[in-house]
Each structure stands twice: as C-alpha cells, then as structure tokens.
Amino acid sequence: MASSDCLFCRIASGGIPADVVYQDQHVVAFRDISPQAPVHFLVIPRRHVASLNVAQDSDRDLLGRMFLAARDTARAEGVADGGYRTVLNVGADAGQVVQHVHMHVLGGREMGWPPG
Ligand code: 5GP
Ligand code: ZN
C-alpha cells in the first residue's frame, strides 16, 4: 500500500490533521477520533507496517519505541498512576479497521475484563 492511501501514514506526515499528543522521529501519538475512555490515544510508527502480523524481527526497536511512547504519554496525560490499558487489534477477529499498526492507550476510567 502506498502511504498516500493509508490514513495513519497521512496523519503521521501531517497530511491529515490530528490532535497529536506525542511525536518523535519514529512514532506519533494522537487522540482517537472516537474516544472510548476519558483518555484514548493511538501510538503509531511513522513507517507503514500494516499490522503486528507482518512486523519483522528488524522492527523490534520500533515496536519497543511504541511502548515507551505509550508509557511517557500516559504519564503526561495523567493516567499512569491510576492505570491504563494498551491494546493492539490484529486482524479481522480483533476488529482491526485501519491497516497501519497502532496501539490504543485507554485510561481515566475502570476497565472491564475480559474485553469484548
Ligand atoms: P482499530 O479498530 O483499527 O484498532 O482502531 C482504529 C481506530 O482509529 C478507531 O478507534 C478509530 O476511532 C480511530 N480512527 C479512525 N479514523 C481516524 C481519524 O481520522 N482520526 C483519528 N484521530 N482517529 C481515527
Ligand atoms: Zn500506513
């Protein structure tokens, strides 16, 4: 897929506006347009990786950076102490809609378990 055809590539490059809460050379975090919790943002790599299923061993550093960006942004958003949930939907059964790997970070309320 060309990055011009990918919604999250376009957000990462600034071509489509988003409420960005963190960014660096490798990853971008922005608020979900349809928040499912008081705090709900997505962490994505700038580089197009369609899903965790197709991530390579060489993406190890990038995937680690996504987690560390989630950690820092959760703290900045004030949910680190209360707790928060990180979610990667992978594939159809999990309900992955956008084919660019993204980590949901949800916080600010108690979460149920198991997830739906
Ligand atoms: P998925 O179901 O693929 O794991 O999650 C995709 C998420 O992207 C959804 O929570 C949806 O609300 C969010 N989303 C879809 N389009 C946009 C958009 O244009 N901007 C933002 N900020 N979030 C989006
Ligand atoms: Zn993409």
Side-chain angles (χ1 to χ4, degrees):
M1 175 188 275
S3 61
S4 59
D5 295 330
C6 172
L7 175 63
F8 284 178
C9 282
R10 293 175 71 180
I11 286 178
S13 67
I16 290 178
D19 188 354
V20 173
V21 288
Y22 176 87
Q23 60 180 319
D24 63 27
Q25 188 184 344
H26 303 281
V27 303
V28 181
F30 53 96
R31 295 192 198 285
D32 196 291
I33 203 167
S34 177
Q36 303 301 310
V39 171
H40 184 183
F41 59 89
L42 305 172
V43 183
I44 64 170
R46 287 191 182 277
R47 180 161 55 78
H48 183 79
V49 177
S51 89
L52 188 62
N53 266 343
V54 296
Q56 307 291 305
D57 288 1
S58 57
D59 293 324
R60 179 178 292 114
D61 184 69
L62 191 58
L63 296 168
R65 287 178 182 279
M66 289 171 63
F67 274 98
L68 297 178
R71 174 200 66 185
D72 290 347
T73 310
R75 182 157 298 286
E77 290 289 309
V79 297
D81 291 339
Y84 56 93
R85 182 167 291 170
T86 63
V87 175
L88 260 82
N89 292 324
V90 183
D93 277 0
Q96 182 180 1
V97 172
V98 179
Q99 305 306 314
H100 179 129
V101 69
H102 51 279
M103 181 185 295
H104 294 260
V105 181
L106 302 119
R109 65 167 171 82
E110 286 188 20
M111 305 281 158
W113 190 265

